[in-house]
Amino acid sequence: MASAAVEFARSHHTRFLEELKTLIRIPSVSTLPEHREDVQRAAEWLAKELKRIGMEHVEVIATEGHPLVYADWLRAEGRPTCLCYGHYDVQPPDPLEEWTTPPFEPTERNGNLYARGAVDDKGQMYMHVKALEALFAAHSGKLPLNVRVILEGEEEVGGEQIAAFIREHPERLKADFALVSDTEMFAPELPTLCVGLRGMIYTEIEVRGAKTDLHSGMYGGAAPNPFVALAQIIAGLKDSDGRVLIPGFYDAVKAPGADELRAWKTLPFDEEHYRQTEVGSPELTGEPGYSVIERTWARPTLDVHGMPGGFTGAGAKTVIPAKALAKVSMRLVPEMTPQQTFALYKAYVEKIAPRGVTVEVRLIHQGDAIVVGTENPYIRTATEALREVWGKDTVFIRSGGSIPIVGDFERHLKIPTVMMGFGLPDDNLHAPNEKFHLANFYRGIESIIVFFERLGESR
Amino acid sequence: MASAAVEFARSHHTRFLEELKTLIRIPSVSTLPEHREDVQRAAEWLAKELKRIGMEHVEVIATEGHPLVYADWLRAEGRPTCLCYGHYDVQPPDPLEEWTTPPFEPTERNGNLYARGAVDDKGQMYMHVKALEALFAAHSGKLPLNVRVILEGEEEVGGEQIAAFIREHPERLKADFALVSDTEMFAPELPTLCVGLRGMIYTEIEVRGAKTDLHSGMYGGAAPNPFVALAQIIAGLKDSDGRVLIPGFYDAVKAPGADELRAWKTLPFDEEHYRQTEVGSPELTGEPGYSVIERTWARPTLDVHGMPGGFTGAGAKTVIPAKALAKVSMRLVPEMTPQQTFALYKAYVEKIAPRGVTVEVRLIHQGDAIVVGTENPYIRTATEALREVWGKDTVFIRSGGSIPIVGDFERHLKIPTVMMGFGLPDDNLHAPNEKFHLANFYRGIESIIVFFERLGESR
């Protein structure tokens, strides 16, 4: 027997989806200055919607960067308070030519909605809003528990503004736990809670050789080449197996518990199928001696995202560039800290830099790794809600991705986070043809409704 | 006593310079498709000017790429025939922000003309045209020798069209020697002939890992990173001293003669001064055991010009790119061949490519290395002309740069080339703030006039 709120949600699929499409059409790419006004527009659109459904104290909070959106409803005396978090900014859509349909024109195909932000995180964040709307509608304008909503517009660029807000105004976000829907299900139809996240540091290495660009004919053989130097540095950071070579890099790593490792072995996961369907490379690479699940959830890694500088156009330009840049990030696991890892990395890069060039290593942003215990009462209630909606036991996973906000909630608000995500492994996050499986959008809304109703019953 | 032609040139400095500025203002960047019409416009402007001064059979020759400009005057019976070569295309001007004045608005400062193409090669090519004009004017509409002019618009992108034209129509360029002004003087006030050029191969390495861009949180530790793989390949190509590690790379290298090496030691060259004023890097790098002059003139090298792909914008994008590219060139010396060097390089890159990725190595263009003997009669006459105009003995140098056309002249037309250039070492070729020392523009014109008049006297 579905609750009245669940019935309300079921009878409004079409409208909910059209609203989501409207939100997605706003190209709120936080990293690109030319989309600044779009990010603002997305914030205002969400504030208006939160007000409409019945939330109170709705506010678009201006910051030094993109705005925050706040709302609350705190009239469920004696009930727990949930802090609903989401982000309305998205990654850049490039490379544009690889999208089947335009990134900001959401398109339905094969039961999926294709668009930048479909699942990360507009679609998932909007599940919260629609669950709250259904609960207000079914409970005579009331919610079964207290709710604060905080939405940010800088998750994809480091989340500095919300981090500052949490540090400076923890009382405004006071809650018993946080709910974040920005993770994925382990497999289709398999209800999943994420109880661990990797942290990260995102850095830039800048190498400078000559004082100006030089002709490679005239100066080749005498002038240092910053791209060659940078390649030598990067080759010194990671071996061809994927083992990071920074001295001390692995020292603080805490291995997962034996029970966690055992549970992971029971998950439906086939490395060869994963290689073929998700990665598509000739081989998988990574630290020897660990499974793919361990390597992506419980081991730190290092990746290079791009190497700007020099000549990147079509054709030929025979230049020895004056400088070269590399965008390098590392994923961290408990108990590594961003500070210590960056210090080890920086010192090592400076040490292995070849002669003839100068090197600068910059920290762009950072986030802590996190683990939430499965015995936590909110995790337990979420598990029950998922069993009711999906008819299956929840699997507990970690995620290789970083959600720095979860670390901030733990550190500054002293609350645990329930990471209840409904993305799928092939959703193409941060890549062309990002999608959200529509059945998951609808069942995600129901899951949150049931979760909140159960929390409202318990004292 | 200056000849009438030299006097004519001296009395027309202002007009000659204004004409050159007009030509430079046409942004004939051959590598950028958006400048296609500008390249065409530069060709037509030059054809018109060649006709005006008295050249015959002037023709803008359409090709599959940018046009060639041809002209001749072949009425000096019994006199030698000179093939005057130059190029009217230029390098891209980026990075634009480093130019003191706009690249296509030629500006006089400190006795120099600053602009893209000022010295490479519009200014130097135009010296030929103005020398011919002065000779026509002083010799009653005649020239003291036979002249063919061939100008190309693709020198900066490999010169495929002129190479094809020479191969297919060698009779149209029949001459006794070629004159090329696209090199530099060893030092200010030091008349210089270049008698050796490095060859080159310009290549791209493309590395592909996953089938699509992936999120580095989700897949970091399992998906191969093409930039890391490319860095490992590049680090395997060259050691930190600058020695190229491709097996067999140096095998065919023919060392310069003992007399040539002795002469180079007498040239006014201070490595520390060169490092400070021209390169500006903390140290010079390059093959151990060789002087800078040897390394840049007589030793092969390898450079990386850029590594396109992935995320290159400001801020952070946590992507594992599906592919990464490197633009890599090698400078060759006698007796290395482009074919053999590319084969060694390609095989080695494929061999050292790490697992998990696929690699494609592409040859973009190539040119042979060349050496012209100093005992050649045209070199001797050029030396006499330079002594008359500059009052000093000529120094014989090589150049680290490549002028593939000189190899084509030798191979297909069976003629030697006199490389009489008037650039200076700090002219910023291919870089921001390219310049041409105006005194050299004027004295270059005089040098060519005297060279041609002396060739006209001899039988």
Side-chain angles (χ1 to χ4, degrees):
Chain A
M1 264 296 293
S3 75
V6 168
E7 289 296 352
F8 179 91
R10 286 183 185 167
S11 62
H12 288 82
H13 282 183
T14 309
R15 172 167 65 80
F16 287 3
L17 181 59
E18 287 310 311
E19 289 171 7
L20 174 58
K21 287 182 183 177
T22 302
L23 175 61
I24 285 172
R25 285 191 192 102
I26 304 173
S28 47
V29 182
S30 49
T31 201
L32 299 176
E34 61 265 35
H35 285 293
R36 181 155 202 92
E37 283 181 24
D38 295 318
V39 181
Q40 177 77 30
R41 202 146 52 89
E44 284 164 9
W45 189 94
L46 282 161
K48 199 171 157 194
E49 177 62 13
L50 286 165
K51 202 160 201 172
R52 190 190 66 77
I53 64 170
M55 293 296 290
E56 300 179 334
H57 307 114
V58 179
E59 191 183 346
V60 174
I61 303 172
T63 72
E64 285 173 30
H66 298 302
L68 302 170
V69 179
Y70 175 85
D72 65 32
W73 192 91
L74 303 170
R75 300 174 183 276
E77 209 184 326
R79 260 66 172 192
T81 302
C82 174
L83 176 62
C84 291
Y85 162 89
H87 68 91
Y88 61 87
D89 65 321
V90 299
Q91 283 275 321
D94 49 299
L96 281 175
E97 66 276 13
E98 293 184 21
W99 285 79
T100 305
T101 48
F104 296 110
E105 187 41 59
T107 308
E108 291 176 60
R109 281 197 305 278
N110 313 319
N112 299 311
L113 186 69
Y114 286 86
R116 171 59 83 232
V119 69
D120 179 21
D121 179 49
K122 282 175 174 169
Q124 297 217 67
M125 180 256 297
Y126 206 62
M127 294 185 311
H128 293 199
V129 181
K130 295 296 99 177
L132 293 173
E133 176 178 6
L135 288 164
F136 276 125
H139 295 263
S140 318
K142 292 182 180 172
L143 295 177
L145 78 175
N146 301 294
V147 169
R148 296 185 198 261
V149 171
I150 185 81
L151 308 176
E152 69 160 316
E154 297 194 357
E155 199 271 345
E156 302 294 4
V157 291
E160 265 181 46
Q161 299 309 322
I162 196 169
F165 186 82
I166 294 171
R167 270 197 316 273
E168 291 160 21
H169 308 286
E171 76 291 349
R172 291 200 55 185
L173 299 177
K174 193 170 158 31
D176 296 296
F177 73 101
L179 176 65
V180 172
S181 297
D182 198 15
T183 50
E184 63 184 38
M185 294 165 64
F186 188 78
E189 306 293 316
L190 205 54
T192 304
L193 291 176
C194 178
V195 294
L197 293 171
R198 289 198 288 194
M200 84 171 309
I201 55 175
Y202 198 104
T203 76
E204 284 180 352
I205 307 177
E206 182 173 309
V207 173
R208 289 185 167 267
K211 64 184 171 180
T212 181
D213 287 0
L214 295 175
H215 186 295
S216 68
M218 303 300 169
Y219 295 93
N225 187 303
F227 274 103
V228 173
L230 198 46
Q232 288 163 345
I233 291 169
I234 289 166
L237 289 174
K238 200 175 172 183
D239 70 18
S240 58
D241 282 329
R243 176 172 287 273
V244 177
L245 301 173
I246 301 165
F249 185 75
Y250 295 102
D251 285 0
V253 171
K254 189 185 171 193
D259 52 340
E260 211 172 358
L261 283 171
R262 253 197 313 276
W264 292 350
K265 286 205 176 112
T266 69
L267 291 171
F269 185 80
D270 178 79
E271 291 199 0
E272 178 57 16
H273 182 258
Y274 167 90
R275 183 191 70 76
Q276 282 178 21
T277 58
E278 291 193 45
V279 178
S281 58
E283 281 185 61
L284 297 175
T285 55
E287 252 188 302
Y290 297 92
S291 70
V292 164
I293 285 182
E294 288 173 87
R295 297 204 305 265
T296 55
W297 291 357
R299 298 296 298 174
T301 60
L302 181 147
D303 271 295
V304 177
H305 309 289
M307 294 177 68
F311 182 65
T312 57
K317 189 181 179 203
T318 52
V319 63
I320 299 178
K323 66 173 180 179
L325 208 72
K327 289 176 176 271
V328 179
S329 79
M330 276 145 275
R331 298 285 164 174
L332 315 181
V333 300
E335 317 257 317
M336 298 169 86
T337 68
Q339 298 74 16
Q340 173 67 2
T341 306
F342 181 70
L344 291 170
Y345 161 73
K346 183 170 186 287
Y348 182 61
V349 167
E350 287 165 354
K351 182 174 162 238
I352 65 174
R355 66 193 185 83
V357 298
T358 53
V359 173
E360 193 189 337
V361 185
R362 296 187 283 261
L363 181 62
I364 306 296
H365 67 78
Q366 61 178 66
D368 286 307
I370 205 91
V371 174
V372 187
T374 52
E375 70 294 345
N376 177 283
Y378 299 101
I379 296 285
R380 284 178 182 277
T381 307
T383 308
E384 291 162 21
L386 288 171
R387 190 186 298 117
E388 180 175 328
V389 173
W390 296 76
K392 281 185 189 163
D393 279 345
T394 294
V395 298
F396 297 103
I397 66 164
R398 293 196 191 181
S399 168
S402 305
I403 311 182
I405 194 75
V406 174
D408 289 333
F409 291 159
E410 183 174 84
R411 198 175 321 105
H412 299 291
L413 305 181
K414 321 286 182 202
I415 60 173
T417 297
V418 176
M419 287 178 269
M420 184 191 283
F422 299 96
L424 288 178
D426 64 348
D427 275 350
N428 298 321
L429 270 75
H430 292 206
N433 302 311
E434 177 180 344
K435 69 171 174 68
F436 194 8
H437 187 48
L438 284 171
N440 287 15
F441 175 59
Y442 302 129
R443 283 220 270 185
I445 294 169
E446 291 184 25
S447 302
I448 297 163
I449 291 170
V450 175
F451 179 39
F452 284 175
E453 287 183 329
R454 286 195 172 240
L455 285 171
E457 290 159 13
S458 62
R459 288 262 178 179
Chain B
M1 265 293 294
S3 74
V6 168
E7 289 298 350
F8 179 92
R10 285 185 186 164
S11 62
H12 288 83
H13 281 184
T14 309
R15 173 167 65 79
F16 288 2
L17 181 59
E18 286 310 311
E19 289 169 7
L20 175 58
K21 287 182 181 175
T22 303
L23 175 61
I24 285 172
R25 284 190 192 103
I26 305 173
S28 48
V29 181
S30 50
T31 202
L32 300 176
E34 61 265 36
H35 286 294
R36 182 155 201 90
E37 283 180 26
D38 295 317
V39 181
Q40 177 77 30
R41 202 146 52 89
E44 284 164 8
W45 188 93
L46 281 161
K48 200 172 157 193
E49 176 62 12
L50 286 164
K51 202 160 200 169
R52 191 190 66 76
I53 64 170
M55 293 297 289
E56 300 178 333
H57 307 114
V58 180
E59 191 182 347
V60 174
I61 302 172
T63 72
E64 284 174 29
H66 298 302
L68 302 170
V69 180
Y70 175 85
D72 65 32
W73 192 93
L74 304 170
R75 299 173 184 276
E77 209 184 325
R79 260 68 172 189
T81 302
C82 174
L83 176 61
C84 290
Y85 162 89
H87 66 91
Y88 60 87
D89 65 320
V90 299
Q91 283 276 321
D94 48 298
L96 282 174
E97 66 276 13
E98 293 184 21
W99 285 79
T100 305
T101 49
F104 296 109
E105 186 41 58
T107 308
E108 291 176 60
R109 281 199 304 279
N110 313 319
N112 299 311
L113 184 69
Y114 286 86
R116 172 58 83 231
V119 69
D120 179 20
D121 179 48
K122 282 175 175 168
Q124 297 217 66
M125 179 256 297
Y126 206 60
M127 295 184 311
H128 293 199
V129 182
K130 295 296 101 176
L132 293 174
E133 175 178 7
L135 288 164
F136 275 125
H139 295 262
S140 316
K142 293 180 179 171
L143 295 178
L145 80 174
N146 300 294
V147 170
R148 294 183 199 263
V149 172
I150 185 80
L151 308 176
E152 68 159 318
E154 298 195 357
E155 198 271 346
E156 302 293 5
V157 291
E160 265 181 47
Q161 298 309 322
I162 196 168
F165 186 81
I166 294 172
R167 270 198 317 273
E168 291 159 21
H169 308 286
E171 76 291 351
R172 292 198 57 184
L173 299 178
K174 194 170 156 34
D176 296 296
F177 74 100
L179 176 66
V180 172
S181 297
D182 199 15
T183 51
E184 63 185 36
M185 294 165 65
F186 189 78
E189 306 293 316
L190 205 55
T192 304
L193 290 176
C194 177
V195 295
L197 292 170
R198 290 198 287 194
M200 83 171 310
I201 55 175
Y202 198 104
T203 77
E204 283 180 353
I205 306 176
E206 182 172 309
V207 173
R208 288 184 168 269
K211 63 184 172 180
T212 182
D213 288 0
L214 295 175
H215 186 295
S216 68
M218 302 301 168
Y219 295 94
N225 187 304
F227 274 103
V228 173
L230 199 46
Q232 288 162 346
I233 291 170
I234 290 166
L237 289 174
K238 200 174 173 183
D239 70 17
S240 58
D241 281 331
R243 176 173 286 275
V244 176
L245 301 173
I246 301 165
F249 185 75
Y250 295 101
D251 285 359
V253 172
K254 188 184 170 193
D259 53 339
E260 211 172 359
L261 283 172
R262 254 197 313 276
W264 293 351
K265 284 202 177 117
T266 69
L267 291 171
F269 185 79
D270 179 79
E271 292 200 359
E272 177 57 16
H273 182 257
Y274 167 89
R275 183 192 69 77
Q276 282 179 20
T277 58
E278 293 194 44
V279 178
S281 58
E283 280 184 62
L284 297 175
T285 56
E287 251 188 304
Y290 297 91
S291 70
V292 164
I293 285 183
E294 289 174 84
R295 297 204 306 264
T296 55
W297 291 357
R299 297 296 298 173
T301 59
L302 181 147
D303 271 295
V304 177
H305 310 288
M307 295 178 67
F311 183 65
T312 57
K317 187 180 181 204
T318 52
V319 63
I320 299 178
K323 66 173 179 179
L325 208 70
K327 289 175 176 274
V328 179
S329 78
M330 277 145 274
R331 299 284 165 172
L332 315 181
V333 301
E335 317 253 309
M336 299 169 86
T337 68
Q339 298 75 16
Q340 173 66 1
T341 306
F342 181 71
L344 291 170
Y345 160 73
K346 183 169 185 287
Y348 182 61
V349 167
E350 287 165 355
K351 184 176 159 234
I352 64 174
R355 65 194 184 84
V357 298
T358 54
V359 173
E360 193 189 336
V361 185
R362 295 187 285 261
L363 180 62
I364 306 296
H365 68 77
Q366 60 178 67
D368 286 307
I370 205 90
V371 174
V372 187
T374 53
E375 70 294 344
N376 178 283
Y378 299 101
I379 296 285
R380 284 179 183 275
T381 307
T383 308
E384 289 162 22
L386 288 171
R387 189 184 300 118
E388 179 174 329
V389 173
W390 297 77
K392 280 186 191 165
D393 281 344
T394 294
V395 297
F396 298 103
I397 65 163
R398 293 195 191 181
S399 167
S402 306
I403 312 183
I405 194 74
V406 174
D408 290 332
F409 291 158
E410 183 173 85
R411 199 174 321 103
H412 300 291
L413 305 181
K414 321 286 183 202
I415 59 174
T417 296
V418 176
M419 287 178 268
M420 185 191 282
F422 299 95
L424 288 178
D426 64 348
D427 274 350
N428 298 321
L429 270 75
H430 293 206
N433 302 311
E434 178 180 343
K435 69 172 174 67
F436 194 7
H437 187 49
L438 285 172
N440 287 13
F441 176 58
Y442 302 128
R443 282 220 270 185
I445 294 169
E446 291 183 25
S447 302
I448 296 163
I449 291 170
V450 174
F451 179 38
F452 284 176
E453 287 183 328
R454 286 197 172 239
L455 286 171
E457 289 159 13
S458 62
R459 286 262 176 177

